Amino acid sequence: MTNTQVSLLQIDNYGPWTTTPEPRREVDLQTLQSRLYADISQLVGNMDGYAFFARFDNMVAITNGLDRAAHACIQNSVGNRYPVTASMSFAARSSPVEALGVASRRLQEAGSAQDSTRQQILRGEPLGEADRTDHDVQIAHFDVNDATGKYTDELNEFDTFIHIEHGYAELMRYLRKAHDSLAFFVGGDNVIAVCSAMDSAAYRDTIDQVREAVDVDLKVGVGRARTAQAAGMSAKHELERCRADGSRVELGWE
């Protein structure tokens, strides 16, 4: 069984801020969002977690090992370095989807994302050390088979992007629906998913679904560990085994 702690970071009152006192330049907003994500990724990563940009004004992180003080530190860093503040909520459940759902509801109960009076809310209870194990987090690293040969070296960049996005969208949808898992595009032709307690058959089922639905072939390496960083590194090594052996699924504990 997994026991995943998921954190939601949401920029406070971001929509109204982008148009007050008049609409801000899109290039400035895009720059702010990308720099904020880079900082959040580094802050969470330095504490052995993983952060994903989601919609940029909302970010999702896997934060096993981060307590309330660590979350407050992240909030304070945002408030000190940016013209916006951020609220955070976190929860731990055996299903990553359920954990994110609880974290989302806690923020929603504190007020609307566009409520100017809601600032730097922090809600949640971290996993206690006594509740943690060495297999709490299961991370899957998916990669498109021969993306360079099939797409990058054959199609223009936009058509390549469409193919990769179709694969990501179907993977994201199916993992959410069938396996209570969360998948995030991380660049190139790579998708990282934080998963429930899936076995080899479940991953093969997922890969088959994506191939049948959108004709994109995937392989996946999977790791599990006490923290997201450790599970993610294990997943990377297992993905290298896929590349070396031509296999579709490699699990770090088999």
Side-chain angles (χ1 to χ4, degrees):
M1 185 181 77
T2 57
N3 197 13
T4 312
Q5 182 172 294
V6 179
S7 300
L8 172 63
L9 181 146
Q10 191 174 84
I11 301 177
D12 293 318
N13 200 33
Y14 187 58
W17 180 82
T18 65
T19 58
T20 303
E22 60 183 6
R24 300 175 191 269
R25 295 195 314 161
E26 189 61 30
V27 63
D28 295 330
L29 298 178
Q30 295 298 320
T31 300
L32 181 149
Q33 291 176 9
S34 60
R35 286 178 176 168
L36 177 59
Y37 168 63
D39 283 345
I40 296 300
S41 181
Q42 186 170 55
L43 285 166
V44 173
N46 287 343
M47 298 182 226
D48 289 329
Y50 266 8
F52 303 100
F53 51 77
R55 293 181 292 134
F56 283 104
D57 57 344
N58 286 257
M59 302 180 199
V60 175
I62 312 307
T63 56
N64 291 59
L66 276 69
D67 60 14
R68 191 176 181 85
H71 284 82
C73 179
I74 293 169
Q75 282 185 301
N76 290 336
S77 180
V78 172
N80 289 336
R81 301 179 64 183
Y82 290 89
V84 293
T85 60
S87 288
M88 296 190 74
S89 178
F90 54 98
R93 295 290 187 277
S94 59
S95 157
V97 167
E98 184 181 357
L100 180 57
V102 173
S104 299
R105 287 194 297 275
R106 286 173 175 168
L107 271 194
Q108 291 160 356
E109 290 166 357
S112 170
Q114 295 192 357
D115 185 346
S116 61
T117 63
R118 196 203 76 176
Q119 292 186 345
Q120 288 190 295
I121 297 296
L122 179 57
R123 292 190 170 184
E125 293 298 329
L127 274 171
E129 284 300 313
D131 299 320
R132 299 181 65 199
T133 73
D134 290 337
H135 49 79
D136 280 340
V137 185
Q138 188 173 124
I139 297 290
H141 195 137
F142 291 87
D143 179 66
V144 177
N145 288 326
D146 194 24
T148 301
K150 291 180 180 178
Y151 307 125
T152 306
D153 290 347
E154 295 294 328
L155 305 175
N156 68 62
E157 173 52 28
F158 196 75
D159 290 338
T160 296
F161 180 62
I162 288 173
H163 280 279
I164 300 300
E165 284 293 293
H166 279 177
Y168 163 49
E170 182 61 23
L171 177 61
M172 174 176 62
R173 184 199 66 80
Y174 192 71
L175 281 175
R176 165 67 178 89
K177 178 181 177 182
H179 300 293
D180 284 339
S181 301
L182 303 169
F184 300 91
F185 178 65
V186 293
D189 61 334
N190 294 269
V191 174
I192 291 178
V194 54
C195 300
S196 58
M198 294 172 60
D199 59 14
S200 181
Y203 286 108
R204 293 180 189 280
D205 165 68
T206 299
I207 289 172
D208 288 343
Q209 169 64 28
V210 173
R211 184 179 62 248
E212 292 169 8
V214 294
D215 194 27
V216 172
D217 291 320
L218 299 170
K219 55 184 173 289
V220 62
V222 189
R224 64 185 184 190
R226 191 176 182 86
T227 66
Q229 284 283 347
M233 284 306 301
S234 175
K236 282 179 174 287
H237 286 298
E238 296 306 313
L239 184 60
E240 288 304 311
R241 287 180 60 190
C242 289
R243 290 170 175 150
D245 301 341
S247 54
R248 297 197 303 162
V249 179
E250 293 290 346
L251 307 183
W253 60 92
E254 289 186 353

